[in-house]
């Protein structure tokens, strides 16, 4: 095959290009070799990183001895070949192509949609001005999509968008229809783009050379003042991107070739940036007006003036810090708590936990990791000694088998999902296990739609087969694990025949899947919150770890354990010690060695008692034990389970400081609100799901009087008696290197240069370790621990009164509690209303049609949303994203927690359903 | 008259669609002989020695094509190309409908020779009747034990699958055919890699024309010399020629290669009374024209190539002195533009533009410069396309513009000149 690859194993080839001797490296194409030698050859359908297709024919070269010309983008040079890109025949051919294509453009001139159209550039380079041909009639524009415009009059049928959609992102929406000069790209079955199954990743827009596919609103015609290389503020995949900025506004976003995204983005990363320019941004410090009491009802952000007044920074900071200090001094440190954020940088997370530990003098500090992967981390620390992923997402390409369980990556980690889909196309067998059928099922070899809540039974069943059929990796177990006998005894009880009726998966399928995983050369496990957000979340994760240990599928490329992290910096925030029981680098606060180390680093005595978690803090607030709370960038009034309870708790708090970019639901309960900076307004490091520490760079200035988060934290610290004097994020990062040995080798300069470093990276100049556990596990003795788990039920099972199962999660277009994405115009236009997914049979049973209001009620609350038919749902189950404050899913969820990870059971509670009357407006 | 009956033997006399009738005349004996007494290498050797060249258009030596398959242990596929769509060609159609067992026998022998256990025949979508006849014949052959597992009790197993196209000319191009057969859009693939290396489902594949394969039982039966000694040394054997155009008796005529064009004209009943042949398109719509002074040329692969045209699929169209070559060129250009798959720029855009220009010329809106433009653009397009389709426009167009330029010039000034 003439497609180039980069393995570089092929020998170098010497050939002649336009009379000069040229050496092509390995399997470079003629075009690539020419590029490297500075010989320009025009190209249109070729895009670096994509499979060359050779259809545009503008890169044609003449090869001595060959009758016809050859596309240099696809053709590999042969030893001694004589190639001419500038011969009369080659030039005449290249020119004809440019002339024919230019003749097709509107007005036969420059693209009216893009400043830097590649066709315009190469036509000018070839000297083509006025085509000799009459212009053809052109199709009408398609403006049906809020994010992108389709101008097929500028389409040159190069097929880059088709490859973008089908081969890069594997969404399979764009295709070619028609033949000859009727040939055109279509979305699905020639639907308008906005009505198609397009997921708006925008890869096609990024791929289009002429502007036929462009971000809406003609931004392609505006020349940016600057381009700033940064990262994506949304999920844990950690895509790198470039902000195009003009007049302190972000014009548009382009994917950048980062190690975790290969220039790909999803709809949020590419089109979800204008929340930063939303008029609801907080621009002045606010103080609650005297005599305006707190109540459980949410405050409309447009009514803020009735409850709060503007203040100067000094007044607001003095009040915020003064009262925290007073509570600490009156009631003792245990009356205070702080929440940091997994949306903040490592530097911010580090400062927040340091403020709480050294300023508040308590370990009552936590963040939303408690709500997402706390149980996974608990199990990983317990069994393999490290809470981070063992292998990176891109390792799926080296895996023969990939288990994806309790995860909907095409929605929650869209760019990571593209690599899984790429791997599936290249032969990796995907085993998808989930109570809800997601898009990835289309690419899976096995899809096990098991009954919700039965993870442990299913996984023990798999291990039973592996043990019973002698497929366990005895050598690995002997040399690298402990407590195998206990596991063996436990799983003996879980024969496939016994597990089948519990899980709903036939015994034979359980056997086939167990064999497939156990006998693969390399098999990797990805999981998400379907595993972690249960009262048996830690047990679920323990089973996955045992599965890997049992088969030795860990410690090599293409194997291992990868809990897909949710937030862009949830890995980093935990690494920084933004959790109540550990300092940075997962050193326990109740370990004397660790405490002494941090006492020395911070030069003061520290509390040895582990602090309270997110949910425990809310209960303590409810009980009046905690009186003051500092919240930086978290939104517990939306994200906590049984959120009415959390809101009541916050009403009871004497002093709440909220540091935010918007007036969130949580801000309704604040005493002082400090306007902070959004992601593109600050510089800092963020650690993605792959353990990659990546640099986010400031692209725009914050609005009004909003200030840098690190500065705000420092000002509070100073006002409660700490002598802080950081000059900025780089300065904080230097201290992080001292506190976190696994990151000690990463320097700020290297991050500025490379943009991304993988830890562990202990010494400057190290390459970083993409795969860990190669020789040992970082536990005492170096062995992995089998922790057998017994199948148990959810805290609240359906019954006659509440017969349905309710489960929550995210949706592609929105982020968590919606504070950013519901204020991002494109994302809000794509998904404006609260939707409840339900199997169509249940809809019929309830007497509802898709789009009808549907009311759900649990023992804790009641909400009404619009019913959405979804055949991927199991009958008897409802799914809802927790993003909509007019129908907050967490009003229904159960606040029972896993005993180890202290994670609430967001994935399972009992509800009853009825025909709804009306759906409220967003607050 | 040098008309022979090899492949066409019995057609019109007996019902060769009936396997009994076919076998009565010795049908499937050669297949049995091959499968039970010969090695694949023997068959390849035999075919190479016969000098058989592909009858689909390119005239590539069949034995050599078979030898390109790599010995990589992968499955191999034999694909019979029955998409016959080249303008003026109608010979495969005849074989498909009239003597399907002869085609099957050829496919079986070819499959055995290359070691393929699964052969496909890609039948042009419009040949519904032929498809039905052929499908029935396959079932008859299967019932008779000619194909299936362990044929004749030996180790060789062979399956044969007929597939109907959906009406695209481009699917006669072998790589577009393979894409279509795989259920994909009928678009040609870039070469290299060639099908011999990476063909159907990415595996080594041979694509042979119907007529090519149909010759195999005869070559096995009569020996390679029987075939090799007929006609010119490098272009031997027999050929069914589809003769059409301004002749009295258009039709398929089986002749030895080396027959002259004039003889072919005579076989087809000669020119219409009182008319003179002024041009001959000797190898389908993609070939350049020859003219009356060329009538005594030998009709074979190499002579045609030496005169800058080709034998192609063996479709000879005679044009007499009533022909409006502007209209003829327009019809042919329109055909190619219409049949462009749209994948590569020069064919998609250039073909369409040439059609528009000819249309403009025909309707009186043409410019003098258009005529030079027709020649220069069609020439610029040639050698530039992803497959031969885009290169098929220039030969006829350029040859008739050059020869009959005044006809084209007349249209510049008159919408509908009296040309007849």
């Amino acid at each position: 095959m003439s497609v180039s690859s980069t393995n570089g194993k092929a020998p170098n080839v010497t050939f002649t290009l336009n009379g000069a001797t040229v050496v092509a490296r390995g399997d470079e194409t003629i075009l690539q070799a020419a590029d490297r030698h500075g010989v320009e050859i025009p190209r249109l359908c070729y895009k670096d990183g994509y499979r060359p297709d050779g259809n545009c024919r503008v890169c044609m070269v003449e090869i001595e001895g060959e009758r016809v010309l050859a596309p240099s983008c696809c053709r590999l040079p042969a030893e001694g070949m004589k190639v001419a890109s500038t011969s009369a025949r080659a030039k005449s051919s290249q020119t004809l192509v440019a002339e024919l294509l230019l003749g097709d453009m509107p007005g036969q001139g420059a693209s009216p949609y893009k400043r830097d159209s590649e066709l315009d550039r190469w036509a000018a380079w070839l000297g083509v001005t006025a085509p000799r041909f009459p212009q053809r009639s052109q199709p009408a524009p398609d403006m049906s999509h809020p994010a992108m415009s389709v101008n097929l009059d500028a389409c040159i049928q190069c097929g880059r968008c088709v490859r973008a959609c089908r081969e890069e992102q594997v969404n399979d929406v764009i295709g070619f229809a028609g033949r000859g000069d009727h040939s055109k790209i279509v979305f699905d079955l020639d639907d308008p783009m906005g009505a198609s199954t397009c997921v708006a990743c925008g890869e096609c827009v990024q791929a289009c050379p002429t502007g036929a596919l462009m971000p809406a609103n003609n931004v392609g015609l505006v020349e940016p003042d600057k381009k700033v290389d940064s990262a994506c503020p949304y999920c844990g995949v950690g895509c790198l991107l470039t902000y195009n900025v003009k007049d302190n506004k972000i014009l548009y976003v382009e994917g950048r070739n980062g190690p975790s995204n290969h220039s790909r983005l999803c709809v949020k990363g590419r089109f979800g940036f204008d929340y930063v320019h939303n008029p609801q941004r907080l621009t002045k410090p606010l103080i609650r007006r005297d005599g305006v009491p707190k109540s459980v009802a949410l405050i409309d952000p447009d009514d803020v003036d009735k409850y709060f007044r503007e203040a100067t920074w000094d007044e607001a900071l003095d009040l915020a810090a003064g009262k925290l200090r007073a509570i600490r001094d009156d009631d003792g440190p245990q009356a205070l708590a702080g929440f940091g954020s997994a949306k903040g940088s490592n530097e911010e997370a580090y400062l927040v936990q340091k403020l709480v530990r050294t300023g508040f003098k308590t370990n009552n500090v936590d963040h939303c990791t408690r709500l997402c992967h706390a149980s996974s981390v608990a199990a990983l620390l317990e069994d393999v000694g490290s809470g981070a992923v063992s292998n990176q997402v891109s390792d799926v390409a080296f895996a023969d088998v990939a288990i994806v369980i309790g995860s909907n990556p095409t929605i929650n980690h869209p760019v990571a999902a593209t690599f899984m889909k790429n791997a599936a196309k290249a032969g990796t067998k995907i085993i998808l296990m989930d109570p809800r059928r997601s898009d990835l099922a289309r690419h899976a070899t096995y899809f096990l739609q098991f009954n919700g809540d039965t993870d442990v039974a299913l996984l023990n069943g798999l291990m039973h087969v592996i043990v019973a059929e002698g497929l366990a990796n005895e050598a690995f177990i002997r040399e690298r694990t402990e407590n195998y006998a206990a596991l063996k005894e436990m799983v003996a009880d879980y024969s496939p025949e016994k597990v089948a009726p519990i899980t709903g998966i036939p015994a034979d399928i359980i056997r086939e899947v167990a064999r497939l995983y156990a006998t693969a050369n390399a098999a990797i496990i990805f999981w998400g919150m379907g595993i972690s957000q249960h009262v048996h979340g830690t047990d679920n994760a323990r089973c996955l770890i045992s599965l890997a240990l049992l088969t030795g599928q860990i410690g090599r490329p293409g194997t291992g354990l990868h809990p897909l992290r949710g937030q862009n910096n949830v890995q980093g925030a935990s690494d920084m010690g933004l959790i109540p029981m550990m300092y940075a680098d997962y050193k326990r606060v109740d370990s004397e060695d660790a405490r002494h180390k941090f006492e020395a680093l911070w030069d003061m005595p520290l509390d040895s008692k582990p602090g309270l978690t997110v949910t425990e803090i809310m209960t303590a607030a409810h009980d009046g034990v905690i009186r003051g709370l500092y919240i930086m960038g978290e939104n517990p009034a939306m994200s906590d389970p049984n959120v009415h309870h959390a809101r009541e708790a916050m009403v009871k708090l004497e002093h709440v400081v909220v540091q935010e970019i918007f007036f969130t639901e949580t801000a309704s309960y604040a005493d002082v609100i400090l306007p902070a900076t959004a992601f593109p307004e600050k510089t800092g490091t963020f650690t993605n799901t792959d353990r990659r520490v990546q640099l986010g760079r400031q692209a725009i200035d914050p609005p009004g009087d909003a200030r840098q988060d690190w500065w705000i934290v420092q000002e509070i610290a100073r006002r409660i008696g700490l002598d802080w004097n950081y000059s900025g994020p780089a300065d904080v990062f230097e201290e992080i290197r001292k506190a976190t040995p696994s990151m000690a080798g990463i320097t700020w300069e290297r991050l500025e240069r490379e943009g991304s470093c993988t830890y562990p990276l202990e010494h400057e100049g190290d390459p970083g370790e993409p795969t860990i556990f190669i020789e040992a596990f970082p536990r005492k003795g170096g062995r992995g621990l089998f922790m057998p788990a017994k199948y148990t039920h959810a805290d609240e099972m359906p019954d006659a009164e509440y017969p349905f199962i309710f489960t929550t999660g995210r949706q592609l277009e929105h982020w968590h509690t919606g504070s950013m994405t519901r204020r991002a115009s494109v994302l809000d236009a794509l998904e404006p209303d609260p939707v409840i997914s339900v199997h169509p049979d249940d809809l019929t049973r309830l007497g509802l049609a898709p789009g009808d209001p549907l009311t759900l009620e649990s023992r804790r609350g009641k909400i009404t949303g619009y019913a959405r038919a979804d055949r991927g749902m199991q009958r008897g189950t409802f799914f809802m994203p927790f993003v909509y404050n007019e129908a907050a899913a967490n009003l229904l969820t159960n606040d029972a927690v896993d005993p180890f990870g202290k994670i609430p059971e967001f994935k399972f509670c009992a509800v009853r359903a009825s025909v709804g009357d009306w759906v409220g407006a967003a607050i | 008259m040098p008309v022979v009956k090899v492949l066409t033997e019995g057609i019109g006399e007996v019902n060769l669609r009936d396997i009994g009738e076919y076998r009565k005349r010795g049908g499937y004996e050669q297949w049995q002989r091959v499968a039970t007494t010969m090695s694949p290498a023997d068959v390849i050797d035999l075919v190479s020695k016969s000098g058989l060249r592909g009858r689909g258009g390119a005239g590539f030596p069949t034995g050599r094509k078979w030898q390109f398959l790599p010995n990589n242990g992968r499955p191999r596929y034999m694909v019979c190309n029955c998409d016959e769509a080249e303008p003026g060609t109608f010979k495969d159609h005849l074989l498909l409908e009239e003597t399907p067992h002869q085609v099957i026998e050829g496919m079986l022998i070819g499959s055995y020779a290359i070691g393929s256990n699964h052969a496909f025949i890609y039948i042009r979508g419009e040949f519904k009747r032929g498809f039905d006849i052929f499908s029935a014949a396959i079932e008859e052959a299967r019932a008779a034990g000619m194909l299936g597992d362990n044929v004749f009790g030996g180790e060789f197993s062979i399956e044969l699958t007929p597939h109907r196209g959906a009406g695209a000319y481009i699917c006669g191009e072998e790589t577009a055919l393979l894409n279509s057969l795989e259920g994909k859009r009928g678009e040609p693939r870039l070469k290299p890699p060639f099908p011999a290396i990476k063909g159907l489902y990415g595996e080594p594949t041979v694509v042979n024309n119907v007529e090519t394969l149909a010759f195999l039982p005869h070559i096995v039966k009569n020996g390679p010399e029987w075939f090799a000694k007929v006609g010119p040394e490098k272009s031997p054997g027999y050929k069914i020629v589809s003769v059409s155009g301004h002749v009295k008796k258009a039709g398929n005529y089986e002749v030895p290669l080396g027959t002259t064009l004039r003889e072919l004209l005579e076989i087809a009943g000669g020119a219409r009374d009182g008319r003179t042949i002024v041009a001959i398109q000797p190898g389908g719509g993609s070939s350049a024209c020859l003219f009356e002074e060329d009538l005594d040329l030998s009709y074979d692969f190499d002579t045609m190539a030496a005169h800058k045209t080709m034998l192609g699929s063996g479709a000879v169209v005679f044009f007499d002195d009533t022909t409006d070559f502007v209209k003829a060129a327009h019809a042919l250009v329109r055909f190619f533009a219409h049949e462009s798959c749209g994948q590569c720029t020069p064919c998609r855009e250039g073909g369409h533009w040439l059609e528009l220009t000819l249309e403009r010329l025909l309707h009186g809106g043409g410019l003098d410069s258009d005529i030079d433009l027709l020649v220069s653009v069609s020439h610029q397009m040639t050698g530039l396309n992803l497959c031969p389709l885009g290169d098929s426009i220039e030969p006829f167009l350029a040859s008739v513009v050059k020869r009959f330029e005044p006809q084209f010039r007349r249209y510049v000034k008159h919408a509908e000149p009296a040309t007849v």
Side-chain angles (χ1 to χ4, degrees), chain A residues 371-661:
Chain A
L371 309 178
C372 64
H373 264 308
S375 48
S376 307
V377 172
L380 287 165
L381 285 170
E382 169 193 85
D383 302 343
V384 292
S386 163
V389 301
S390 71
N391 295 62
Q392 299 179 322
V393 171
S394 53
D395 256 26
V396 68
F398 310 122
D400 300 316
V401 172
I403 289 180
V404 181
I405 179 166
S407 168
N408 187 351
T410 52
I411 296 295
N412 295 319
H413 303 88
V415 172
T418 66
F419 294 101
M420 297 179 193
K421 293 185 281 187
N422 293 153
K425 283 205 158 187
T428 300
K429 291 189 168 76
I430 291 184
I431 302 167
L432 180 66
M433 307 184 192
D434 204 301
R436 191 175 167 218
R437 188 181 68 229
S438 60
D439 280 353
L440 194 62
R442 206 159 57 81
H443 304 273
T445 304
Y446 284 93
F447 170 50
L448 276 54
Q449 191 165 20
F450 65 97
N451 295 330
D453 193 41
T454 66
D455 317 59
V456 169
L458 177 64
L459 296 170
N460 278 349
L462 293 174
M463 289 192 277
H464 176 99
V465 174
I466 291 168
V467 172
E469 298 193 359
L471 301 173
N473 186 335
E474 298 291 346
F476 189 91
I477 293 167
R478 195 171 53 242
E479 286 155 28
R480 297 198 51 187
T481 69
E482 59 192 56
N483 204 28
Y484 177 51
L487 180 90
K488 206 169 167 181
E489 194 186 342
M490 175 66 77
V491 302
D493 267 351
Y494 292 83
S495 70
E497 278 67 24
K498 183 174 168 186
V499 165
I502 298 170
T503 58
I505 304 300
D508 286 347
I509 298 290
I510 293 174
R511 288 201 170 85
E512 286 173 26
V513 166
R515 290 169 194 150
L516 184 60
Y517 175 79
T519 59
N521 284 324
I524 190 167
I525 302 175
F526 294 99
W527 76 89
M529 262 134 259
I531 283 293
S532 60
Q533 290 176 335
H534 286 282
V535 290
H536 46 78
T538 304
D539 278 346
N540 291 348
R542 284 169 174 155
C543 288
L544 293 173
I545 297 164
S546 292
L547 196 54
L549 294 177
L550 181 63
T551 51
Q553 297 286 19
I554 190 160
R556 289 171 285 131
T559 69
L561 299 161
H562 191 120
L564 285 153
R565 309 309 305 258
Q567 294 272 13
N568 60 332
N569 198 36
V570 69
Q571 182 64 54
S574 301
D575 295 345
M576 293 302 104
L578 195 63
I579 44 180
M581 61 295 277
M582 283 154 183
Y583 299 121
D585 232 11
Y586 303 92
K587 297 293 177 285
R588 290 200 61 92
V589 298
D590 50 12
S591 138
E592 258 185 55
D593 285 353
R595 197 171 70 252
H596 290 153
K597 176 188 162 175
F598 280 89
E599 283 175 340
L601 181 68
W602 293 337
D603 194 21
M604 68 172 65
L606 297 171
D607 185 2
S608 63
K609 190 168 142 268
L612 301 178
T613 62
V614 164
T615 42
E616 289 168 343
I617 286 168
M618 282 303 170
T619 303
H622 213 271
D623 296 344
V625 177
I626 284 183
R627 291 169 51 212
L629 182 59
Y630 167 57
I631 303 173
M632 181 254 184
E634 291 262 295
N635 194 7
M638 276 296 281
S639 62
D640 273 20
N642 188 10
V643 75
H644 186 76
H645 177 265
R647 290 174 186 179
E648 281 179 343
M650 277 187 285
V651 170
K652 289 190 176 176
L653 284 165
E654 259 170 58
H655 184 54
V656 177
V657 179
V658 172
Q659 180 174 329
E660 253 304 345
I661 61 169

Side-chain angles (χ1 to χ4, degrees), chain A residues 684-744:
Chain A
T685 65
F686 297 81
T687 305
N688 80 344
T689 191
D690 288 331
R691 290 183 270 107
R692 288 188 169 114
V693 181
Q694 312 195 115
L695 196 59
R697 291 183 179 87
Q698 181 172 354
I700 52 173
D701 297 326
D705 212 3
R707 297 281 170 95
Q708 294 291 332
D709 289 81
W710 71 266
W711 179 88
I712 302 172
V713 181
Q714 173 156 292
E715 288 303 309
I716 290 176
R718 285 175 169 175
R719 282 170 168 80
I720 60 172
L722 296 170
D723 178 26
W724 284 13
N725 206 12
Y726 297 103
S727 61
D731 200 11
V732 181
F733 188 78
E734 278 309 303
E735 187 171 319
I736 291 173
R737 292 177 63 199
K738 293 192 188 100
T740 315
S742 60
M743 287 167 58

Side-chain angles (χ1 to χ4, degrees), chain B residues 88 241-251 253 259-272 275-284 289-292 294-297 299 314-323 325 328 396:
Chain B
V241 183
S242 302
V243 182
S244 64
H246 295 139
V247 294
K248 284 182 180 162
K249 271 173 59 193
Y253 299 99
T259 302
T260 66
L261 290 167
R262 193 180 302 281
E263 285 172 310
L264 281 170
L265 176 62
E266 282 163 21
I267 292 166
R272 296 185 294 178
R275 293 295 167 195
T276 318
I277 297 301
V278 295
I280 310 107
Q281 195 179 24
C289 270
L290 296 169
F291 304 101
E292 47 190 309
D294 302 316
L295 274 169
D296 291 315
L297 290 180
Y299 190 60
V316 180
V317 183
F318 289 98
F319 298 92
D320 69 19
D321 52 355
T322 65
T323 309
F325 282 96
F396 181 81

Side-chain angles (χ1 to χ4, degrees), chain B residues 21-259:
Chain B
E21 198 64 46
Y22 181 67
R23 295 184 77 174
K24 224 190 285 176
R25 301 164 77 98
Y28 288 116
E29 280 174 16
Q30 304 312 315
W31 164 228
Q32 181 157 10
R33 207 179 117 206
V34 164
T36 55
T37 70
M38 292 172 73
S39 73
D42 292 343
V43 184
I44 294 177
D45 190 47
L46 201 84
V47 172
S48 297
K49 282 189 179 140
S50 76
L52 175 65
R53 292 170 66 169
R55 262 50 178 164
F60 197 83
T62 305
R64 188 129 58 93
K65 193 181 221 182
W66 291 354
Q67 285 166 329
F68 285 143
L69 297 187
N71 278 315
N72 58 3
R74 300 294 308 169
R76 298 164 158 201
Y77 296 108
M78 164 59 74
V79 177
C80 175
N81 185 347
C82 184
D83 190 57
E84 185 171 63
E86 187 64 26
T89 314
F90 39 85
K91 56 166 182 99
D92 296 338
H93 189 184
L94 176 83
L95 297 175
L96 179 77
E97 289 192 357
E98 298 300 329
T99 172
H101 288 289
Q102 181 175 237
V103 179
I104 292 173
E105 189 171 7
M107 287 177 70
L108 295 171
I109 294 171
S111 299
Y112 182 83
I114 65 161
S116 167
N117 300 111
H118 202 148
F120 295 83
I121 179 167
Y122 187 96
I123 298 171
R124 177 174 168 173
E126 289 85 341
F127 296 169
K128 168 75 168 87
R129 181 164 173 268
F131 177 84
D132 292 342
I133 290 167
F134 199 83
S135 300
I138 291 174
E139 290 320 308
E140 277 187 340
R142 189 192 310 282
M146 295 299 125
L147 59 105
D149 288 342
N150 304 100
V151 279
F152 309 120
E155 285 181 3
F156 188 70
S157 298
I158 174 76
E159 194 43 64
L160 207 165
T161 304
H163 179 91
R164 250 180 97 198
Y169 166 72
I170 191 59
C171 291
E173 192 282 331
E174 59 181 359
T175 58
L177 182 153
L178 295 176
N179 272 346
S180 173
L181 194 51
E182 289 179 11
K184 296 173 183 158
R185 199 172 144 84
E187 287 180 340
R189 301 174 182 173
L190 277 177
K191 294 193 260 189
F194 291 90
I197 309 298
K198 213 171 166 201
L200 187 62
Y201 305 115
E203 305 295 353
T205 300
V206 165
V207 183
N208 280 148
N209 172 256
V210 173
E211 186 185 354
T212 311
L213 291 170
F215 272 120
L216 297 181
H218 302 277
I219 291 171
V220 171
K221 180 181 175 193
N222 300 312
E225 287 73 28
W226 161 82
F227 195 80
K229 71 175 200 294
V230 177
E233 192 192 335
K234 294 268 171 67
S235 184
Y238 304 98
K239 176 88 192 76
I240 303 176
V241 183
S242 302
V243 182
S244 64
H246 295 139
V247 294
K248 284 182 180 162
K249 271 173 59 193
N252 282 317
Y253 299 99
E254 191 170 19
V255 295
L257 288 176
T259 302

Side-chain angles (χ1 to χ4, degrees), chain A residues 267-348:
Chain A
V267 61
K268 291 188 289 290
R270 192 183 305 276
F271 297 118
F273 57 84
D274 71 352
Y275 70 94
V276 296
H277 304 308
N278 189 287
Q280 287 189 348
R281 277 295 297 276
L282 296 172
T283 57
K284 291 271 187 203
L286 299 173
I287 292 176
R288 182 172 285 272
R289 290 182 187 279
D290 290 336
V292 180
K294 296 177 191 173
S295 83
V296 176
L298 299 178
I299 296 172
D300 185 332
D302 291 331
D303 281 347
V304 170
D305 280 355
K306 286 186 202 156
Y307 302 87
F308 292 87
R309 64 172 174 84
E310 288 183 1
T312 64
W313 269 103
D314 273 339
E315 185 189 6
L317 287 166
D318 287 345
L319 177 63
K323 270 209 131 166
L324 289 169
R325 183 175 188 157
I327 292 171
R328 179 194 70 190
D329 294 346
D330 291 352
D331 273 19
Q334 298 314 319
L336 288 182
F339 290 159
S341 173
K343 272 262 159 289
S345 65
N346 284 321
E347 295 71 36
E348 290 160 3

